[in-house]
Amino acid sequence: MSCMQIQKHIEENKLDTMLQLIKKHLKEDGICSFGISLVEDVRTVDGVEYKLHQSVYPAEWWKEKFISNGLEIFKGGRNDENHFGYIFNSKVRDHGNTSCYFVCTHS
């Protein structure tokens, strides 16, 4: 399962529900990859500001959020300040240190 650049658009009070639904539909031996923005995105249209990124938090916050919702960081793969269990050779959208990447399994 892949959730690249989706979580940033979900309001914080809806993240637990979204992650619990992902876990519910993830096969026991499945993985889910996440690419998450670490930067705000606010656009102004006709004088009105729109906050496009609703959930912008540091990588450690996301790690705890996944764990608290019954997902576990994949034990293999790349692990550094912005990669957690990441098993792929490339990223969908690589913006340097403006994103973090996770691969999760059932806990």
Side-chain angles (χ1 to χ4, degrees):
M1 189 181 292
S2 177
C3 296
M4 292 297 184
Q5 304 297 328
I6 293 171
Q7 290 76 16
K8 65 187 176 188
H9 299 291
I10 309 297
E11 295 173 6
E12 181 182 355
N13 64 346
K14 297 178 181 173
L15 287 172
D16 289 336
T17 300
M18 181 196 72
L19 292 173
Q20 290 163 14
L21 285 169
I22 287 171
K23 182 180 178 193
K24 177 181 176 181
H25 294 283
L26 186 64
K27 292 181 179 182
E28 286 292 325
D29 61 349
I31 62 170
C32 186
S33 60
F34 299 90
I36 300 171
S37 179
L38 301 174
V39 295
E40 299 282 345
D41 189 0
V42 179
R43 308 280 173 98
T44 303
V45 178
D46 296 329
V48 178
E49 280 192 352
Y50 296 93
K51 184 178 178 182
L52 301 181
H53 293 180
Q54 300 294 312
S55 294
V56 177
Y57 301 100
E60 279 298 318
W61 185 93
W62 283 104
K63 182 178 178 182
E64 292 304 316
K65 180 59 81 173
F66 291 131
I67 292 168
S68 71
N69 279 282
L71 295 168
E72 183 176 301
I73 305 304
F74 186 68
K75 300 251 186 289
R78 180 176 171 185
N79 287 284
D80 59 34
E81 64 183 314
N82 287 335
H83 299 85
F84 301 85
Y86 202 73
I87 60 174
F88 306 103
N89 291 327
S90 61
K91 296 170 222 146
V92 175
R93 297 173 69 187
D94 189 3
H95 299 291
N97 287 333
T98 63
S99 295
C100 60
Y101 301 90
F102 291 84
V103 173
C104 297
T105 62
H106 275 271
S107 59

